[in-house]
Amino acid sequence: MSIGAKTLVYGYGNPGRQDDGLGAQCIKKLEDWLVLHPHVELLTDTNYQLNIEDAAAISEVQRVVFVDASIEDIDGFSFTSIQASDAKVEFSMHAVSPSFVVDLCQKIYGHTPEAFLLHIKGYEWDFKEGLTPSASQNLDAAFEFLLHFLNPNVEK
Amino acid sequence: MSKKITIEPVTRVEGHGKVTIHMDDSGNIEQSRLHIVEFRGFERFVQGRPYWEAPVLVQRLCGICPVSHHLAAAKALDVIVGAGTGHGLTPTGEKMRRLMHYGQFFQSHALHFFHLSAPDFLFGIDGDPAIRNIIGIALTHPELAVQGVMMRKFGQEVIRATAGKKIHGTGAIPGGINKHLTIAERDEFLLGADPLNADKMVSWAEGALDFFKSYYAANKDFIDNFAYFPSNHLSLVREDGALDIYHGVLRAVDTNGKKILNDVDYQEYADHIEEEVRSWSYMKFPYLKALGKEKGWYRVGPLARLNTIDFIPSPIAQREFEIYKALTHGKPNNHCMMMHYARLIETLHAAEMIRELLHDPDLLEGELVIKGTKQKEGVGLIEAPRGTLFHHYRINDNDQIEMANLIVSTTNNNEPMNRSVNHVAKAVMTGKEVITEGMMNAVEVAIRAYDPCLSCATHALGNMPLEITLVDKNEHIIDRKRSK
């Protein structure tokens, strides 16, 4: 079953750095959920960080949700719309932000998908696998929100 | 009034570097330093872990060049499982790893050129920072932006096909590799729809090189004089002197091309290389023992590699190498900004080698792993895109890692990066009351030429936006500028 717009959910971060793996862990939960809901058509992807080639990837979908860990002072998670015009100068970085990817997509391909960022609060970033308990709780809440956002009518 | 200027990169995960520039009362630059302000000590995190986990564990170090650490660790563990070094693997094992490595080189160098360095050439180092990036390139030179994006994508797909996945790849294992390339994957890379095929990648790599050569012809003074200083150069070379980024012997030459480390076995690197600790930085300063701290420091990376090797074993890159070497009459090139030229020749070489390897049937079938008599200790060296990368492990009787030592490319370039910063700071900031964004970027251009990864060097996630703070002798902030 299509959930409407052709959608990519893209988690990023390093799962070898504790809560920096929130993006990848969210995608794993989503892929596990998709196994139980094989009728749902949804694209997923993960990487250590976003980069310029992701402009090509998102140019092929109508909607993209980026999922990332956050050190910001947010209440569990936040969900925001991304505009190409939000892109900031990010010269000299090996990685780029979601708004940068969206902006680059617009400049190169002349169109962008509807884009969102799901930011999930993390707490610890050491050289370990696995999320902290607090980050796991935030992930659970963010994941419920994500499923509802993707399609309020899809059963959980 | 004396001043201290601080350029401070900011990272999401703590552990970062900054640049401080000290000015005397007359506005002269007294001293400039790129220093790392936090030490994370990755090595201790692998101690006690089973040795076979290392090729995956070390990818926690860095999301920028995980493949380099993956392969260097696997090469060290080849020694420990008795598979020898380099050519000791099965043909399939070695060639699949090489394909992975060339894919990583290709995408990493493409990112550096199209996203990080080309904007300086197109818009000027004091150009509008709002467009001085690949988005600006997309506005003014859309064909170049497309090439940058698709070259990255091609390299990433090669990595995915050989390492198994994009995050925490598992392709390289002690003694070999865990998969073949499928016929479908090979055909996709060779015959994929335009532009995602090997022929187009070679063609675009040639185009990028032509772009730089044209820029150099029109801006020779800038390229030749920006942060120029003589140095030693170190890299792996193949036993016959060819460029080989995966395996070989360790060679160093001085600023005139004289060999100062003559093709030694890298298992014995500790006999030849030592790391100095300085109080103001957690990033060490490697040097050749035989020459001592003052004279033994060296550069690694593209410039160094093309200074140590005798030839490039792929035809188009070799032709370009001959043109490049003629610029310095066959002597080593010590021009900081020629790092970009060298990097683009290597990009072309990587594309040629990917194309050549894809025609090799050993990728599709054959033994994957070989093992022999277990050893207690092993060293793995590769040429990462940024330069020579050392991984050294020793295990105990329970197969646990009891010692790990890593010397990453950015650490090898610590001294030359510091010297580059000093040269540029003196050239552009001497006598200046206010630091402009252009001056700040000039310092960053010098650092950026080395394509440093502070993520590797500090073992933290690797962003490198800069903050410059101009401080008077009483530590009062006079001016602050930041590039995000």
Side-chain angles (χ1 to χ4, degrees):
Chain A
M1 178 184 84
S2 169
I3 59 170
K6 185 178 180 183
T7 299
L8 168 67
V9 185
Y10 191 140
Y12 61 97
N14 187 343
R17 301 296 301 271
Q18 289 189 288
D19 294 346
D20 198 39
L22 274 163
Q25 193 60 33
C26 184
I27 299 306
K28 183 174 186 312
K29 279 176 75 84
L30 187 56
E31 289 173 344
D32 290 346
W33 182 87
L34 287 169
V35 170
L36 301 174
H37 299 79
H39 55 288
V40 176
E41 295 172 10
L42 192 63
L43 300 171
T44 60
D45 200 359
T46 57
N47 210 335
Y48 288 106
Q49 69 275 311
L50 297 180
N51 220 306
I52 60 174
E53 68 273 16
D54 294 316
I58 69 168
S59 74
E60 297 169 359
V61 300
Q62 295 168 293
R63 185 167 60 169
V64 61
V65 180
F66 296 104
V67 186
D68 187 21
S70 174
I71 60 169
E72 303 297 325
D73 185 20
I74 56 176
D75 186 17
F77 69 91
S78 67
F79 190 77
T80 51
S81 174
I82 298 169
Q83 305 300 323
S85 57
D86 294 338
K88 297 173 183 172
V89 178
E90 300 190 40
F91 200 33
S92 87
M93 294 168 63
H94 287 108
V96 300
S97 71
S99 57
F100 191 97
V101 172
V102 172
D103 196 15
L104 185 58
C105 178
Q106 175 67 45
K107 298 292 191 303
I108 291 179
Y109 299 102
H111 65 270
T112 62
E114 198 179 11
F116 303 90
L117 173 61
L118 177 59
H119 242 170
I120 308 172
K121 173 78 173 168
Y123 305 92
E124 294 182 25
W125 319 89
D126 225 329
F127 291 113
K128 295 177 185 172
E129 296 277 352
L131 304 176
T132 60
S134 298
S136 291
Q137 284 183 359
N138 294 341
L139 172 61
D140 290 342
F143 186 72
E144 288 298 307
F145 174 87
L146 178 65
L147 287 184
H148 184 75
F149 168 78
L150 291 172
N151 190 333
N153 299 318
V154 170
E155 63 183 77
K156 296 168 184 166
Chain B
M1 178 175 63
S2 64
K3 306 179 186 71
K4 181 174 77 175
I5 301 165
T6 303
I7 304 175
E8 188 159 11
V10 179
T11 59
R12 182 167 70 184
V13 175
E14 68 267 43
H16 60 276
K18 64 180 180 180
V19 173
T20 38
I21 301 168
H22 296 265
M23 253 180 208
D24 67 15
D25 291 344
S26 303
N28 298 312
I29 302 299
E30 288 182 321
Q31 184 183 65
S32 305
R33 286 171 170 171
L34 168 64
H35 41 156
I36 301 303
V37 295
E38 181 169 355
F39 177 63
R40 304 290 298 172
F42 177 80
E43 286 89 342
R44 71 183 171 87
F45 287 93
V46 296
Q47 288 172 5
R49 301 297 292 262
Y51 71 81
W52 53 83
E53 290 183 357
V56 175
L57 282 175
V58 293
Q59 294 174 79
R60 295 179 185 181
L61 264 171
C62 172
I64 307 302
C65 45
V67 173
S68 297
H69 290 293
H70 180 56
L71 288 174
K75 285 190 70 182
L77 297 176
D78 291 343
V79 180
I80 286 177
V81 300
T85 62
H87 307 308
L89 301 186
T90 66
T92 300
E94 180 177 340
K95 290 171 184 175
M96 281 291 284
R97 286 191 188 179
R98 283 182 176 273
L99 183 60
M100 187 193 308
H101 196 27
Y102 286 121
Q104 137 111 334
F105 242 73
F106 186 72
Q107 60 88 21
S108 177
H109 278 6
L111 177 70
H112 188 273
F113 177 69
F114 288 99
H115 181 45
L116 299 180
S117 63
D120 283 327
F121 306 137
L122 285 169
F123 308 118
I125 62 174
D126 56 353
D128 180 359
I131 62 165
R132 205 177 52 215
N133 51 53
I134 196 170
I135 287 178
I137 291 180
L139 284 169
T140 57
H141 301 74
E143 73 290 351
L144 278 180
V146 169
Q147 288 175 24
V149 167
M150 301 313 276
M151 287 168 78
R152 274 279 305 184
K153 186 176 175 67
F154 184 82
Q156 288 281 322
E157 291 304 320
V158 170
I159 292 170
R160 191 207 296 261
T162 49
K165 51 186 182 173
K166 286 197 279 191
I167 291 183
H168 291 4
T170 55
I173 57 177
I177 196 86
N178 70 358
K179 73 186 288 280
H180 294 101
L181 197 69
T182 67
I183 292 173
E185 287 167 337
R186 179 201 62 185
D187 290 350
E188 188 65 29
F189 294 134
L190 277 176
L191 309 168
D194 190 64
L196 286 174
N197 58 68
D199 283 339
K200 180 64 83 175
M201 295 302 122
V202 172
S203 170
W204 278 356
E206 288 185 86
L209 186 53
D210 287 342
F211 171 89
F212 185 86
K213 287 160 69 178
S214 296
Y215 179 84
Y216 178 54
N219 299 274
K220 193 170 183 307
D221 283 348
F222 166 63
I223 294 292
D224 284 349
N225 295 313
F226 187 87
Y228 167 84
F229 56 88
S231 72
N232 303 315
H233 304 271
L234 177 138
S235 81
L236 280 180
V237 300
R238 202 167 74 185
E239 287 85 345
D240 61 358
L243 174 65
D244 193 334
I245 58 175
Y246 176 73
H247 187 63
V249 290
L250 206 48
R251 178 185 291 182
V253 299
D254 69 12
T255 189
N256 295 310
K258 178 188 170 191
K259 285 183 186 175
I260 51 178
L261 190 61
N262 196 357
D263 299 358
V264 302
D265 180 353
Y266 62 71
Q267 295 301 314
E268 298 160 3
Y269 83 98
D271 293 338
H272 304 284
I273 292 171
E274 201 149 85
E275 296 177 274
E276 180 191 4
V277 174
R278 297 182 191 171
S279 60
W280 47 270
S281 177
Y282 278 113
M283 190 157 70
K284 295 177 182 176
F285 292 79
Y287 62 93
L288 295 170
K289 281 184 181 180
L291 295 179
K293 296 174 185 174
E294 294 299 318
K295 295 182 177 178
W297 58 274
Y298 51 82
R299 281 193 254 219
V300 300
L303 189 78
R305 285 189 286 261
L306 296 202
N307 284 333
T308 55
I309 63 163
D310 299 323
F311 68 97
I312 297 179
S314 62
I316 310 175
Q318 169 62 18
R319 185 189 69 209
E320 296 293 342
F321 177 65
E322 290 169 9
I323 296 169
Y324 170 87
K325 291 295 285 186
L327 295 171
T328 51
H329 310 289
K331 294 288 187 183
N333 194 314
N334 289 290
H335 301 280
C336 183
M337 295 300 279
M338 291 300 258
M339 208 113 51
H340 300 291
Y341 196 156
R343 188 174 286 114
L344 288 168
I345 292 175
E346 290 189 335
T347 309
L348 176 58
H349 171 63
E352 286 188 284
M353 295 305 288
I354 290 170
R355 184 169 64 179
E356 181 183 313
L357 271 169
L358 288 170
H359 287 97
D360 195 316
D362 286 338
L363 294 176
L364 306 176
E365 59 184 4
E367 291 295 317
L368 297 172
V369 178
I370 190 169
K371 292 188 179 177
T373 304
K374 192 186 290 180
Q375 309 291 314
K376 291 288 188 185
E377 196 162 353
V379 177
L381 241 74
I382 62 164
E383 285 296 322
R386 295 160 184 84
T388 316
L389 171 63
F390 300 66
H391 275 226
H392 181 187
Y393 303 99
R394 187 168 62 238
I395 64 170
N396 62 21
D397 291 336
N398 297 318
D399 287 343
Q400 295 166 308
I401 295 170
E402 64 175 22
M403 186 283 294
N405 185 43
L406 278 61
I407 307 177
V408 303
S409 316
T410 297
T411 300
N412 279 308
N413 272 328
N414 197 357
E415 178 68 25
M417 284 194 297
N418 270 280
R419 290 181 181 245
S420 298
V421 166
N422 203 37
H423 272 256
V424 174
K426 283 183 176 176
V428 304
M429 294 182 178
T430 297
K432 301 293 191 299
E433 284 288 328
V434 177
I435 303 306
T436 66
E437 196 282 333
M439 293 176 197
M440 179 176 71
N441 190 48
V443 173
E444 193 176 350
V445 164
I447 300 171
R448 190 158 53 234
Y450 295 86
D451 195 19
C453 180
L454 297 179
S455 171
C456 282
T458 64
H459 307 162
L461 288 181
N463 294 343
M464 205 177 71
L466 296 185
E467 181 177 296
I468 294 183
T469 308
L470 181 59
V471 184
D472 67 18
K473 63 183 178 184
N474 297 316
E475 301 292 319
H476 294 140
I477 294 173
I478 299 170
D479 193 12
R480 172 178 284 170
K481 295 193 181 296
R482 178 180 301 186
S483 68
K484 300 189 75 174

